[in-house]
Amino acid sequence: MLPSRYVKHSPASHESVSVQVLVLGDIGRSPRMQYHALSIARHGGRVDIIGYFESPPHPELLTNPRVQIYPLASPPSVIQLIPFIVAGPLKVLWQIWTLIRALGYQTQPARWLLVQNPPSIPTLVIALIISVLRNTHLMIDWHNYGWTILAGTKGENHPFVKISKVYECVMGQVAPTANITVTHAMKRQLEQEPYNVTAPILVLHDRPASIFQPLKSLPDRRDFLERFSETKDFASNIMAGETRLIVSSTSWTPDEDFSLLLDALVTYAKQDNAPPVTAIITGRGPQKALYEQKIQDLENAGKLPNIRIRTAWLTMEDYAMLLSCADLGVCLHMSSSGVDLPMKVVDMFGSGLPVAAYSGYESFDELVKDGVNGCGFKTADQLAVILRRLFTEKGSTQLQNLRKGAERESALRWDEEWDRVLGRVIGVID
């Protein structure tokens, strides 16, 4: 039995706009797609979010009556015990079944299907099929390229990588009604070989949501630092500027080389009279246990004197507050494609937090302005130099100026950017 089809409302109203938002990943760890849903609902549209429900999503998604979440069933755990050459295809078959069931039968037909890419397989082809069967406009939100991420672990010449690249290029050419990219550099790349995307491409830069705000008062900072378990024992030292607080958010994957930060802190700690540093590392991912052991080994070897490194998993509210209370954010995102941008830096700017970020990719300058709202580095030694410069008494003025630059950047918000770029396209703004 074929899925029901979308029937266009005439005359169309904002309330008649319906959108399926597809994330073949954890909804709670997909902030951009959550923000899409909230923007559509804020203007009266109806949103169905389809994805894995593993970590808590944005609180407003759970309370907004115009948003419905449809959790995808995770693949059976037994698949993880099978060799990749067999488990890979089985996982894809499972995903195909769950996607068709959710997009075609569990949800009502929608005017738009907005899909996050990557992952590309099998998301794009299923989204194309559903959009044809249900008379739905398909919009791809290009965060990165699936094949470049796969190449980071398999190598660019691996057969699966080559197939993935061809698949992604073909889907980009034939599938979408429209496209969104996170940078101008990605838009230029999609318009050229080998992608040759001809459908319209809109650039929607990531901007911080309203939950990320600069610190309002010093008492607020003290209250949080004294409440937060990872900082409560030395909150007074942080407040006095005697200990510097660093925050880094990571997915603990190979495209973020966490050893850069560890090596930089080891080098920094060798400096005489270097101010103590507390580094809070947030996030979940496959390499977390590996690096936690490396941190323990460095501490046991006495290579991190006056350095405290703690890992944590926070609610969005606590994470936003932690960013606003920190002295410096550190971003290790390396960009497999060279043309995406890290959402974590956007959140840091939204909280008025200056950043030290890895800068070795093309689109870096679209977000971080070196010396204005942050600093770029490519090696651990360069990061150590930045930490020494900013955390000494002489560097306090520069750090304060960078914070002012980050606060200016925080004035650019997601709601205004989304309304300007997508509001009329989706149909929720006249």
Side-chain angles (χ1 to χ4, degrees):
M1 180 179 175
L2 294 177
S4 57
R5 289 172 61 82
Y6 174 75
V7 178
K8 185 176 180 179
H9 295 263
S10 184
S13 64
H14 300 169
E15 290 75 18
S16 69
V17 174
S18 53
V19 182
Q20 293 176 320
V21 176
L22 173 60
V23 181
L24 193 58
D26 181 12
I27 296 172
R29 295 168 66 188
S30 304
R32 182 176 169 99
M33 303 309 285
Q34 295 183 77
Y35 298 164
H36 279 305
L38 289 172
S39 293
I40 295 164
R42 178 168 54 87
H43 288 293
R46 176 178 62 82
V47 186
D48 293 333
I49 306 181
I50 300 97
Y52 296 117
F53 198 95
E54 297 171 350
S55 55
H58 194 291
E60 291 183 32
L61 291 179
L62 301 176
T63 58
N64 194 309
R66 304 197 66 80
V67 177
Q68 181 72 41
I69 297 177
Y70 291 85
L72 291 172
S74 299
S77 57
V78 68
I79 291 181
Q80 306 298 327
L81 306 177
I82 304 173
F84 176 77
I85 194 169
V86 177
L90 288 177
K91 181 179 179 181
V92 170
L93 288 173
W94 176 272
Q95 291 172 336
I96 289 173
W97 177 75
T98 55
L99 286 173
I100 291 177
R101 182 167 173 263
L103 292 170
Y105 297 96
Q106 290 183 322
T107 56
Q108 294 297 313
R111 181 176 180 179
W112 287 95
L113 170 53
L114 175 58
V115 56
Q116 172 184 297
N117 184 72
S120 311
I121 299 174
T123 318
L124 296 184
V125 67
I126 298 302
L128 173 61
I129 292 170
I130 291 295
S131 67
V132 172
L133 291 177
R134 307 203 80 174
N135 192 33
T136 295
H137 296 307
L138 176 59
M139 180 180 289
I140 300 176
D141 190 358
W142 298 82
H143 297 196
N144 206 337
Y145 306 133
W147 74 269
T148 62
I149 295 175
L150 186 61
T153 56
K154 301 293 183 182
E156 195 166 338
N157 293 320
H158 192 283
F160 285 158
V161 175
K162 292 182 177 180
I163 292 171
S164 177
K165 182 177 182 179
V166 171
Y167 163 85
E168 200 163 2
C169 291
V170 170
M171 286 295 101
Q173 292 167 14
V174 303
T177 303
N179 301 271
I180 317 167
T181 61
V182 294
T183 64
H184 291 288
M186 183 178 287
K187 177 179 186 293
R188 291 192 297 269
Q189 205 169 76
L190 284 174
E191 292 171 337
Q192 300 168 1
E193 293 282 350
Y195 302 97
N196 295 322
V197 173
T198 56
I201 302 176
L202 305 168
V203 178
L204 177 64
H205 283 119
D206 283 321
R207 298 295 183 198
S210 57
I211 195 172
F212 296 97
Q213 296 288 340
L215 190 69
K216 291 181 172 61
S217 69
L218 290 179
D220 287 344
R221 188 187 194 208
R222 180 181 295 277
D223 288 346
F224 177 80
L225 293 176
E226 291 178 346
R227 172 174 62 83
F228 184 46
S229 60
E230 307 298 339
T231 57
K232 63 182 181 180
D233 292 337
F234 36 89
S236 58
N237 292 341
I238 297 174
M239 290 295 299
E242 298 169 358
T243 295
R244 296 296 191 172
L245 178 59
I246 290 175
V247 177
S248 183
S249 174
T250 178
S251 55
W252 301 103
T253 54
D255 66 340
E256 293 184 342
D257 186 0
F258 190 71
S259 62
L260 279 174
L261 178 57
L262 291 183
D263 292 345
L265 289 172
V266 169
T267 301
Y268 170 87
K270 294 177 181 178
Q271 178 191 2
D272 292 336
N273 301 318
V277 167
T278 294
I280 308 297
I281 316 300
T282 71
R284 292 174 176 168
Q287 294 187 333
K288 183 178 180 180
L290 170 68
Y291 279 108
E292 285 180 327
Q293 185 59 54
K294 287 187 177 182
I295 293 168
Q296 187 65 55
D297 292 343
L298 289 172
E299 290 176 342
N300 293 340
K303 293 185 177 182
L304 292 171
N306 290 325
I307 306 291
R308 301 182 187 89
I309 303 176
R310 301 291 184 265
T311 59
W313 176 252
L314 307 177
T315 65
M316 186 171 287
E317 294 90 341
D318 281 350
Y319 175 59
M321 193 63 192
L322 176 62
L323 292 184
S324 69
C325 291
D327 294 300
L328 185 70
V330 175
C331 176
L332 305 170
H333 177 79
M334 290 186 167
S335 180
S336 63
S337 64
V339 292
D340 69 322
L341 285 173
M343 187 73 186
K344 65 198 73 178
V345 172
V346 175
D347 297 338
M348 290 173 183
F349 285 161
S351 303
L353 179 64
V355 302
Y358 180 81
S359 59
Y361 52 96
E362 180 183 347
S363 56
F364 176 80
D365 291 339
E366 289 192 36
L367 181 58
V368 181
K369 306 298 186 292
D370 208 319
V372 177
N373 52 26
C375 302
F377 65 86
K378 295 180 182 177
T379 67
D381 286 343
Q382 291 174 350
L383 177 55
V385 169
I386 291 171
L387 297 180
R388 285 199 299 266
R389 186 174 73 243
L390 296 181
F391 289 170
T392 59
E393 187 175 345
K394 291 182 179 179
S396 59
T397 299
Q398 184 183 2
L399 182 59
Q400 187 60 35
N401 288 336
L402 293 178
R403 181 173 290 277
K404 290 178 181 177
E407 289 174 351
R408 288 193 296 270
E409 193 73 24
S410 77
L412 303 172
R413 290 286 159 174
W414 170 268
D415 289 340
E416 292 79 10
E417 183 77 354
W418 192 92
D419 289 354
R420 181 183 66 83
V421 176
L422 278 185
R424 288 180 176 82
V425 177
I426 295 292
V428 293
I429 294 178
D430 295 327

